[in-house]
Amino acid sequence: MKKSLDEHAERFSEHADAYDENQDSAAYRACVDFVVEHAAPEADDVVLDLGTGTGAIAFALAPDAEAILGRDISDGMLEKAREKADERGVENASFADGRFRAPTVDRSVDIVTSNFAMHHLGDDEKREAIDTIADLGPRRIVLGDVMLFGDDDPDAPFYSPEVDDPATVGVLADAFTDAGYALTAVEMVTEQAGVLVADRLGSD
């Protein structure tokens, strides 16, 4: 990890008010759409959204799920997400502090989603994060993120070398496999952004 969690949290809190307006690229929106499409919760599903930010994924999934648990390290982002929940009258989405390797969840979850957050971790930390998520027992994990389908290009969108540490798709695929999941979909949005869908082996 190129910056500490506290440094990342402070950076995102500073930009929380303008975050939604700044996430307007076609590639980012495509990843959001793919994450929502592949998560596909059922009416009795509990969804854990890690790195929830201001709740883009959480609010998109809330109408179809029993509950959405949004977790983030940024107080500013969480405050914005709660404001949006109140404004929209969304009662089945809750937002609290949590991180990939300590999601602070005290109930079973059926689906775990994340979009554009895990790339701040180093490769070994990503493996730890995926193991932690797998230990929660979800039947499906949907990860949208900065990820390398080819050679890395620090000049390409979504990659700031001073704060980002994207993994190759192969590293992520191996981490899911080692955690007992099989990749069931790979959506390449750009050479450096995409969505991976992993289903627990043996789940219906």
mmCIF file of all heavy atoms in Angstrom, residues 39-82:
data_model
loop_
_atom_site.group_PDB
_atom_site.id
_atom_site.type_symbol
_atom_site.label_atom_id
_atom_site.label_comp_id
_atom_site.label_asym_id
_atom_site.label_seq_id
_atom_site.Cartn_x
_atom_site.Cartn_y
_atom_site.Cartn_z
ATOM 1 N N ALA A 39 -24.182 -8.434 -9.688
ATOM 2 C CA ALA A 39 -24.554 -8.702 -8.294
ATOM 3 C C ALA A 39 -25.934 -9.341 -8.222
ATOM 4 O O ALA A 39 -26.139 -10.333 -7.527
ATOM 5 C CB ALA A 39 -24.514 -7.416 -7.479
ATOM 6 N N ALA A 40 -26.889 -8.763 -8.922
ATOM 7 C CA ALA A 40 -28.230 -9.341 -9.095
ATOM 8 C C ALA A 40 -28.798 -9.950 -7.814
ATOM 9 O O ALA A 40 -29.123 -11.141 -7.771
ATOM 10 C CB ALA A 40 -28.210 -10.397 -10.212
ATOM 11 N N PRO A 41 -28.934 -9.160 -6.743
ATOM 12 C CA PRO A 41 -29.442 -9.731 -5.491
ATOM 13 C C PRO A 41 -30.906 -10.140 -5.593
ATOM 14 O O PRO A 41 -31.669 -9.582 -6.385
ATOM 15 C CB PRO A 41 -29.271 -8.582 -4.490
ATOM 16 C CG PRO A 41 -29.337 -7.345 -5.330
ATOM 17 C CD PRO A 41 -28.677 -7.713 -6.632
ATOM 18 N N GLU A 42 -31.262 -11.122 -4.778
ATOM 19 C CA GLU A 42 -32.654 -11.535 -4.646
ATOM 20 C C GLU A 42 -33.258 -10.822 -3.442
ATOM 21 O O GLU A 42 -32.557 -10.185 -2.656
ATOM 22 C CB GLU A 42 -32.732 -13.047 -4.506
ATOM 23 C CG GLU A 42 -32.177 -13.779 -5.734
ATOM 24 C CD GLU A 42 -32.136 -15.282 -5.560
ATOM 25 O OE1 GLU A 42 -32.519 -15.763 -4.467
ATOM 26 O OE2 GLU A 42 -31.711 -15.971 -6.496
ATOM 27 N N ALA A 43 -34.561 -10.938 -3.296
ATOM 28 C CA ALA A 43 -35.278 -10.129 -2.307
ATOM 29 C C ALA A 43 -34.841 -10.392 -0.869
ATOM 30 O O ALA A 43 -34.976 -9.521 -0.015
ATOM 31 C CB ALA A 43 -36.782 -10.366 -2.437
ATOM 32 N N ASP A 44 -34.289 -11.574 -0.593
ATOM 33 C CA ASP A 44 -33.886 -11.897 0.782
ATOM 34 C C ASP A 44 -32.372 -11.853 0.960
ATOM 35 O O ASP A 44 -31.849 -12.340 1.969
ATOM 36 C CB ASP A 44 -34.426 -13.262 1.196
ATOM 37 C CG ASP A 44 -33.962 -14.397 0.287
ATOM 38 O OD1 ASP A 44 -33.377 -14.106 -0.781
ATOM 39 O OD2 ASP A 44 -34.187 -15.577 0.636
ATOM 40 N N ASP A 45 -31.663 -11.268 0.020
ATOM 41 C CA ASP A 45 -30.207 -11.225 0.088
ATOM 42 C C ASP A 45 -29.698 -10.034 0.894
ATOM 43 O O ASP A 45 -30.244 -8.921 0.806
ATOM 44 C CB ASP A 45 -29.593 -11.139 -1.318
ATOM 45 C CG ASP A 45 -29.550 -12.482 -2.020
ATOM 46 O OD1 ASP A 45 -29.586 -13.522 -1.330
ATOM 47 O OD2 ASP A 45 -29.477 -12.496 -3.268
ATOM 48 N N VAL A 46 -28.624 -10.276 1.641
ATOM 49 C CA VAL A 46 -27.885 -9.212 2.310
ATOM 50 C C VAL A 46 -26.614 -8.959 1.499
ATOM 51 O O VAL A 46 -25.850 -9.886 1.231
ATOM 52 C CB VAL A 46 -27.524 -9.597 3.757
ATOM 53 C CG1 VAL A 46 -26.651 -8.518 4.391
ATOM 54 C CG2 VAL A 46 -28.783 -9.829 4.572
ATOM 55 N N VAL A 47 -26.414 -7.712 1.110
ATOM 56 C CA VAL A 47 -25.268 -7.339 0.281
ATOM 57 C C VAL A 47 -24.317 -6.481 1.099
ATOM 58 O O VAL A 47 -24.730 -5.496 1.720
ATOM 59 C CB VAL A 47 -25.712 -6.563 -0.975
ATOM 60 C CG1 VAL A 47 -24.499 -6.182 -1.829
ATOM 61 C CG2 VAL A 47 -26.708 -7.370 -1.797
ATOM 62 N N LEU A 48 -23.054 -6.852 1.096
ATOM 63 C CA LEU A 48 -22.003 -6.049 1.705
ATOM 64 C C LEU A 48 -21.279 -5.303 0.590
ATOM 65 O O LEU A 48 -20.735 -5.934 -0.319
ATOM 66 C CB LEU A 48 -21.033 -6.944 2.472
ATOM 67 C CG LEU A 48 -19.754 -6.286 2.995
ATOM 68 C CD1 LEU A 48 -20.070 -5.200 4.005
ATOM 69 C CD2 LEU A 48 -18.823 -7.343 3.591
ATOM 70 N N ASP A 49 -21.284 -3.973 0.658
ATOM 71 C CA ASP A 49 -20.615 -3.148 -0.346
ATOM 72 C C ASP A 49 -19.388 -2.506 0.295
ATOM 73 O O ASP A 49 -19.507 -1.577 1.093
ATOM 74 C CB ASP A 49 -21.570 -2.082 -0.882
ATOM 75 C CG ASP A 49 -20.961 -1.279 -2.020
ATOM 76 O OD1 ASP A 49 -20.258 -1.879 -2.850
ATOM 77 O OD2 ASP A 49 -21.202 -0.060 -2.078
ATOM 78 N N LEU A 50 -18.214 -3.007 -0.057
ATOM 79 C CA LEU A 50 -16.971 -2.549 0.540
ATOM 80 C C LEU A 50 -16.357 -1.410 -0.270
ATOM 81 O O LEU A 50 -16.322 -1.476 -1.500
ATOM 82 C CB LEU A 50 -15.977 -3.711 0.641
ATOM 83 C CG LEU A 50 -16.322 -4.773 1.692
ATOM 84 C CD1 LEU A 50 -15.456 -6.014 1.504
ATOM 85 C CD2 LEU A 50 -16.153 -4.216 3.096
ATOM 86 N N GLY A 51 -15.868 -0.393 0.430
ATOM 87 C CA GLY A 51 -15.420 0.811 -0.265
ATOM 88 C C GLY A 51 -16.612 1.508 -0.877
ATOM 89 O O GLY A 51 -16.565 1.989 -2.010
ATOM 90 N N THR A 52 -17.687 1.592 -0.114
ATOM 91 C CA THR A 52 -18.977 2.029 -0.653
ATOM 92 C C THR A 52 -18.974 3.475 -1.118
ATOM 93 O O THR A 52 -19.814 3.863 -1.929
ATOM 94 C CB THR A 52 -20.087 1.799 0.405
ATOM 95 O OG1 THR A 52 -21.372 1.929 -0.199
ATOM 96 C CG2 THR A 52 -19.959 2.789 1.569
ATOM 97 N N GLY A 53 -18.040 4.285 -0.607
ATOM 98 C CA GLY A 53 -18.011 5.686 -1.017
ATOM 99 C C GLY A 53 -19.303 6.396 -0.650
ATOM 100 O O GLY A 53 -19.787 6.290 0.475
ATOM 101 N N THR A 54 -19.879 7.100 -1.603
ATOM 102 C CA THR A 54 -21.139 7.798 -1.352
ATOM 103 C C THR A 54 -22.353 6.937 -1.687
ATOM 104 O O THR A 54 -23.472 7.431 -1.672
ATOM 105 C CB THR A 54 -21.196 9.105 -2.148
ATOM 106 O OG1 THR A 54 -21.156 8.809 -3.555
ATOM 107 C CG2 THR A 54 -20.033 10.026 -1.799
ATOM 108 N N GLY A 55 -22.120 5.656 -1.985
ATOM 109 C CA GLY A 55 -23.226 4.721 -2.107
ATOM 110 C C GLY A 55 -23.736 4.425 -3.502
ATOM 111 O O GLY A 55 -24.858 3.924 -3.641
ATOM 112 N N ALA A 56 -22.930 4.665 -4.543
ATOM 113 C CA ALA A 56 -23.412 4.435 -5.909
ATOM 114 C C ALA A 56 -23.918 3.004 -6.103
ATOM 115 O O ALA A 56 -25.010 2.787 -6.644
ATOM 116 C CB ALA A 56 -22.306 4.752 -6.920
ATOM 117 N N ILE A 57 -23.131 2.027 -5.683
ATOM 118 C CA ILE A 57 -23.540 0.626 -5.827
ATOM 119 C C ILE A 57 -24.648 0.298 -4.832
ATOM 120 O O ILE A 57 -25.640 -0.357 -5.171
ATOM 121 C CB ILE A 57 -22.340 -0.313 -5.617
ATOM 122 C CG1 ILE A 57 -21.206 0.005 -6.599
ATOM 123 C CG2 ILE A 57 -22.773 -1.768 -5.730
ATOM 124 C CD1 ILE A 57 -21.552 -0.177 -8.045
ATOM 125 N N ALA A 58 -24.490 0.748 -3.611
ATOM 126 C CA ALA A 58 -25.457 0.436 -2.554
ATOM 127 C C ALA A 58 -26.870 0.869 -2.936
ATOM 128 O O ALA A 58 -27.829 0.093 -2.798
ATOM 129 C CB ALA A 58 -25.032 1.105 -1.243
ATOM 130 N N PHE A 59 -27.014 2.096 -3.412
ATOM 131 C CA PHE A 59 -28.347 2.596 -3.737
ATOM 132 C C PHE A 59 -28.924 1.927 -4.983
ATOM 133 O O PHE A 59 -30.135 1.750 -5.095
ATOM 134 C CB PHE A 59 -28.322 4.110 -3.899
ATOM 135 C CG PHE A 59 -28.055 4.838 -2.612
ATOM 136 C CD1 PHE A 59 -26.963 5.690 -2.481
ATOM 137 C CD2 PHE A 59 -28.873 4.659 -1.511
ATOM 138 C CE1 PHE A 59 -26.711 6.351 -1.286
ATOM 139 C CE2 PHE A 59 -28.627 5.305 -0.313
ATOM 140 C CZ PHE A 59 -27.541 6.151 -0.193
ATOM 141 N N ALA A 60 -28.060 1.534 -5.900
ATOM 142 C CA ALA A 60 -28.540 0.845 -7.096
ATOM 143 C C ALA A 60 -29.081 -0.544 -6.754
ATOM 144 O O ALA A 60 -30.024 -1.028 -7.400
ATOM 145 C CB ALA A 60 -27.420 0.736 -8.126
ATOM 146 N N LEU A 61 -28.500 -1.182 -5.744
ATOM 147 C CA LEU A 61 -28.913 -2.541 -5.384
ATOM 148 C C LEU A 61 -30.017 -2.580 -4.333
ATOM 149 O O LEU A 61 -30.722 -3.588 -4.200
ATOM 150 C CB LEU A 61 -27.704 -3.329 -4.857
ATOM 151 C CG LEU A 61 -26.568 -3.577 -5.857
ATOM 152 C CD1 LEU A 61 -25.415 -4.294 -5.161
ATOM 153 C CD2 LEU A 61 -27.050 -4.381 -7.050
ATOM 154 N N ALA A 62 -30.184 -1.507 -3.585
ATOM 155 C CA ALA A 62 -31.119 -1.496 -2.456
ATOM 156 C C ALA A 62 -32.547 -1.915 -2.815
ATOM 157 O O ALA A 62 -33.182 -2.644 -2.037
ATOM 158 C CB ALA A 62 -31.120 -0.121 -1.792
ATOM 159 N N PRO A 63 -33.108 -1.490 -3.953
ATOM 160 C CA PRO A 63 -34.499 -1.869 -4.245
ATOM 161 C C PRO A 63 -34.708 -3.372 -4.406
ATOM 162 O O PRO A 63 -35.836 -3.857 -4.252
ATOM 163 C CB PRO A 63 -34.792 -1.140 -5.565
ATOM 164 C CG PRO A 63 -33.836 -0.001 -5.597
ATOM 165 C CD PRO A 63 -32.596 -0.538 -4.959
ATOM 166 N N ASP A 64 -33.650 -4.121 -4.713
ATOM 167 C CA ASP A 64 -33.799 -5.547 -5.000
ATOM 168 C C ASP A 64 -33.329 -6.452 -3.871
ATOM 169 O O ASP A 64 -33.498 -7.669 -3.958
ATOM 170 C CB ASP A 64 -33.023 -5.904 -6.273
ATOM 171 C CG ASP A 64 -33.532 -5.152 -7.489
ATOM 172 O OD1 ASP A 64 -34.770 -5.056 -7.642
ATOM 173 O OD2 ASP A 64 -32.705 -4.655 -8.274
ATOM 174 N N ALA A 65 -32.732 -5.889 -2.817
ATOM 175 C CA ALA A 65 -32.145 -6.695 -1.741
ATOM 176 C C ALA A 65 -32.890 -6.489 -0.430
ATOM 177 O O ALA A 65 -33.630 -5.517 -0.251
ATOM 178 C CB ALA A 65 -30.674 -6.322 -1.570
ATOM 179 N N GLU A 66 -32.657 -7.409 0.501
ATOM 180 C CA GLU A 66 -33.228 -7.241 1.840
ATOM 181 C C GLU A 66 -32.506 -6.126 2.591
ATOM 182 O O GLU A 66 -33.125 -5.290 3.234
ATOM 183 C CB GLU A 66 -33.105 -8.536 2.627
ATOM 184 C CG GLU A 66 -33.594 -8.420 4.066
ATOM 185 C CD GLU A 66 -33.429 -9.709 4.846
ATOM 186 O OE1 GLU A 66 -33.647 -10.791 4.266
ATOM 187 O OE2 GLU A 66 -33.067 -9.630 6.031
ATOM 188 N N ALA A 67 -31.159 -6.132 2.486
ATOM 189 C CA ALA A 67 -30.371 -5.133 3.199
ATOM 190 C C ALA A 67 -29.057 -4.896 2.482
ATOM 191 O O ALA A 67 -28.481 -5.816 1.891
ATOM 192 C CB ALA A 67 -30.100 -5.589 4.632
ATOM 193 N N ILE A 68 -28.594 -3.668 2.557
ATOM 194 C CA ILE A 68 -27.293 -3.287 2.021
ATOM 195 C C ILE A 68 -26.443 -2.780 3.180
ATOM 196 O O ILE A 68 -26.875 -1.889 3.928
ATOM 197 C CB ILE A 68 -27.404 -2.180 0.959
ATOM 198 C CG1 ILE A 68 -28.384 -2.556 -0.139
ATOM 199 C CG2 ILE A 68 -26.018 -1.867 0.391
ATOM 200 C CD1 ILE A 68 -27.949 -3.691 -1.034
ATOM 201 N N LEU A 69 -25.257 -3.340 3.337
ATOM 202 C CA LEU A 69 -24.326 -2.903 4.368
ATOM 203 C C LEU A 69 -23.168 -2.196 3.676
ATOM 204 O O LEU A 69 -22.296 -2.845 3.087
ATOM 205 C CB LEU A 69 -23.809 -4.105 5.170
ATOM 206 C CG LEU A 69 -24.861 -5.097 5.690
ATOM 207 C CD1 LEU A 69 -24.176 -6.258 6.393
ATOM 208 C CD2 LEU A 69 -25.853 -4.401 6.611
ATOM 209 N N GLY A 70 -23.156 -0.882 3.712
ATOM 210 C CA GLY A 70 -22.096 -0.111 3.091
ATOM 211 C C GLY A 70 -20.969 0.120 4.080
ATOM 212 O O GLY A 70 -21.211 0.554 5.212
ATOM 213 N N ARG A 71 -19.746 -0.177 3.665
ATOM 214 C CA ARG A 71 -18.589 0.004 4.536
ATOM 215 C C ARG A 71 -17.522 0.825 3.815
ATOM 216 O O ARG A 71 -17.249 0.608 2.646
ATOM 217 C CB ARG A 71 -17.993 -1.351 4.954
ATOM 218 C CG ARG A 71 -18.943 -2.217 5.776
ATOM 219 C CD ARG A 71 -19.172 -1.620 7.150
ATOM 220 N NE ARG A 71 -20.033 -2.440 7.989
ATOM 221 C CZ ARG A 71 -21.342 -2.284 8.093
ATOM 222 N NH1 ARG A 71 -21.966 -1.338 7.396
ATOM 223 N NH2 ARG A 71 -22.052 -3.058 8.885
ATOM 224 N N ASP A 72 -16.903 1.763 4.552
ATOM 225 C CA ASP A 72 -15.865 2.603 3.978
ATOM 226 C C ASP A 72 -14.954 3.094 5.099
ATOM 227 O O ASP A 72 -15.337 3.066 6.281
ATOM 228 C CB ASP A 72 -16.488 3.800 3.239
ATOM 229 C CG ASP A 72 -15.583 4.339 2.144
ATOM 230 O OD1 ASP A 72 -14.623 5.066 2.465
ATOM 231 O OD2 ASP A 72 -15.825 4.027 0.963
ATOM 232 N N ILE A 73 -13.758 3.554 4.722
ATOM 233 C CA ILE A 73 -12.826 4.083 5.714
ATOM 234 C C ILE A 73 -12.929 5.596 5.847
ATOM 235 O O ILE A 73 -12.320 6.176 6.746
ATOM 236 C CB ILE A 73 -11.370 3.711 5.363
ATOM 237 C CG1 ILE A 73 -10.938 4.321 4.029
ATOM 238 C CG2 ILE A 73 -11.199 2.200 5.358
ATOM 239 C CD1 ILE A 73 -9.471 4.122 3.707
ATOM 240 N N SER A 74 -13.693 6.234 4.972
ATOM 241 C CA SER A 74 -13.762 7.696 4.942
ATOM 242 C C SER A 74 -15.022 8.200 5.643
ATOM 243 O O SER A 74 -16.142 7.935 5.195
ATOM 244 C CB SER A 74 -13.751 8.195 3.492
ATOM 245 O OG SER A 74 -14.149 9.542 3.413
ATOM 246 N N ASP A 75 -14.852 8.947 6.718
ATOM 247 C CA ASP A 75 -15.995 9.517 7.421
ATOM 248 C C ASP A 75 -16.785 10.460 6.520
ATOM 249 O O ASP A 75 -18.018 10.506 6.580
ATOM 250 C CB ASP A 75 -15.529 10.286 8.667
ATOM 251 C CG ASP A 75 -14.999 9.366 9.758
ATOM 252 O OD1 ASP A 75 -15.362 8.170 9.757
ATOM 253 O OD2 ASP A 75 -14.224 9.848 10.607
ATOM 254 N N GLY A 76 -16.073 11.214 5.691
ATOM 255 C CA GLY A 76 -16.748 12.141 4.793
ATOM 256 C C GLY A 76 -17.629 11.432 3.786
ATOM 257 O O GLY A 76 -18.755 11.872 3.519
ATOM 258 N N MET A 77 -17.136 10.357 3.219
ATOM 259 C CA MET A 77 -17.924 9.573 2.272
ATOM 260 C C MET A 77 -19.146 8.954 2.952
ATOM 261 O O MET A 77 -20.261 8.966 2.412
ATOM 262 C CB MET A 77 -17.058 8.478 1.651
ATOM 263 C CG MET A 77 -15.989 8.989 0.715
ATOM 264 S SD MET A 77 -16.689 9.599 -0.838
ATOM 265 C CE MET A 77 -15.251 9.533 -1.881
ATOM 266 N N LEU A 78 -18.937 8.399 4.137
ATOM 267 C CA LEU A 78 -20.042 7.779 4.864
ATOM 268 C C LEU A 78 -21.115 8.805 5.222
ATOM 269 O O LEU A 78 -22.317 8.514 5.126
ATOM 270 C CB LEU A 78 -19.516 7.095 6.129
ATOM 271 C CG LEU A 78 -18.656 5.853 5.899
ATOM 272 C CD1 LEU A 78 -17.956 5.441 7.193
ATOM 273 C CD2 LEU A 78 -19.505 4.706 5.362
ATOM 274 N N GLU A 79 -20.700 9.975 5.623
ATOM 275 C CA GLU A 79 -21.661 11.025 5.946
ATOM 276 C C GLU A 79 -22.493 11.383 4.714
ATOM 277 O O GLU A 79 -23.719 11.554 4.804
ATOM 278 C CB GLU A 79 -20.930 12.265 6.458
ATOM 279 C CG GLU A 79 -21.860 13.407 6.859
ATOM 280 C CD GLU A 79 -21.109 14.616 7.384
ATOM 281 O OE1 GLU A 79 -19.875 14.519 7.584
ATOM 282 O OE2 GLU A 79 -21.749 15.663 7.608
ATOM 283 N N LYS A 80 -21.834 11.485 3.572
ATOM 284 C CA LYS A 80 -22.550 11.800 2.330
ATOM 285 C C LYS A 80 -23.531 10.682 1.976
ATOM 286 O O LYS A 80 -24.666 10.937 1.555
ATOM 287 C CB LYS A 80 -21.541 11.992 1.195
ATOM 288 C CG LYS A 80 -22.117 12.623 -0.049
ATOM 289 C CD LYS A 80 -22.477 14.076 0.183
ATOM 290 C CE LYS A 80 -22.954 14.745 -1.088
ATOM 291 N NZ LYS A 80 -23.354 16.156 -0.863
ATOM 292 N N ALA A 81 -23.107 9.431 2.142
ATOM 293 C CA ALA A 81 -23.991 8.305 1.843
ATOM 294 C C ALA A 81 -25.220 8.312 2.751
ATOM 295 O O ALA A 81 -26.346 8.063 2.296
ATOM 296 C CB ALA A 81 -23.225 6.989 1.990
ATOM 297 N N ARG A 82 -25.027 8.606 4.024
ATOM 298 C CA ARG A 82 -26.168 8.657 4.947
ATOM 299 C C ARG A 82 -27.123 9.797 4.584
ATOM 300 O O ARG A 82 -28.345 9.641 4.671
ATOM 301 C CB ARG A 82 -25.666 8.813 6.382
ATOM 302 C CG ARG A 82 -24.883 7.616 6.898
ATOM 303 C CD ARG A 82 -24.517 7.778 8.368
ATOM 304 N NE ARG A 82 -23.588 6.749 8.808
ATOM 305 C CZ ARG A 82 -22.305 6.961 9.108
ATOM 306 N NH1 ARG A 82 -21.813 8.200 9.033
ATOM 307 N NH2 ARG A 82 -21.526 5.972 9.494
#
